[in-house]
Amino acid sequence: MKEQKLPDGSVKPIICLNNFEFALFCMNYQLLIDSYSFGSTLSNQEIELLSLELETQVMNMNISRDFDCFKSAPTHICKNLNLKKGTLWIMCLAEILDIHKPTKIGKTKSFKVYDLLLEKGLVCG
């Protein structure tokens, strides 16, 4: 995975998918989730990008807890995804991926992410 240094000193991961480079943090996964929650369908490429976004967020969980993914998603998104009000963005993302890329064996992505959040003290059990 390549990285690009931003003017503020932060680093933005870059991935290569089908010979195109995508900045993970430039793709606004929150807009995709919002659109999906209102009934839009996701393309295979968008699902793959969301999957990479989730992997990045899980990896960054050890670095910082100040990312937007650890904040509550808007009420309308939680409601439209049949999730509890105040559900974190990262959990909304995991839930959508469980729908589109279900785990064949073992725990769902939502369950794994919840376990990590519980372990890090970001949610209460």
Side-chain angles (χ1 to χ4, degrees):
M1 186 177 295
K2 295 182 193 177
E3 293 181 340
Q4 177 184 16
K5 192 162 184 147
L6 300 175
D8 66 359
S10 64
V11 176
K12 172 176 62 175
I14 305 289
I15 60 162
C16 187
L17 184 64
N18 296 331
N19 296 323
F20 293 99
E21 289 185 349
F22 293 92
L24 290 181
F25 293 114
C26 284
M27 179 214 55
N28 193 333
Y29 74 95
Q30 293 170 335
L31 287 175
L32 285 175
I33 290 173
D34 192 30
S35 179
Y36 176 78
S37 77
F38 281 112
S40 294
T41 57
L42 296 171
S43 70
N44 289 338
Q45 187 175 30
E46 288 169 329
I47 294 164
E48 287 306 313
L49 288 170
L50 289 174
S51 184
L52 290 168
E53 179 67 31
L54 180 62
E55 287 178 36
T56 301
Q57 290 179 7
V58 168
M59 288 183 339
N60 286 331
M61 204 178 287
N62 293 324
I63 299 169
S64 175
R65 294 181 181 141
D66 294 330
F67 295 112
D68 282 344
C69 63
F70 303 120
K71 295 180 180 163
S72 297
T75 302
H76 72 276
I77 289 176
C78 298
K79 180 181 177 189
N80 291 348
L81 294 176
N82 295 317
L83 298 171
K84 192 169 89 172
K85 180 180 175 181
T87 298
L88 302 180
W89 277 108
I90 192 170
M91 288 299 300
C92 295
L93 178 54
E95 186 68 26
I96 290 171
L97 290 171
D98 283 338
I99 293 166
H100 288 86
K101 292 177 72 173
T103 306
K104 295 182 188 247
I105 298 174
K107 297 178 182 179
T108 64
K109 289 169 191 63
S110 297
F111 194 83
K112 289 177 186 177
V113 168
Y114 184 80
D115 277 351
L116 283 169
L117 292 169
L118 192 59
E119 179 183 308
K120 301 290 182 191
L122 294 167
V123 293
C124 297

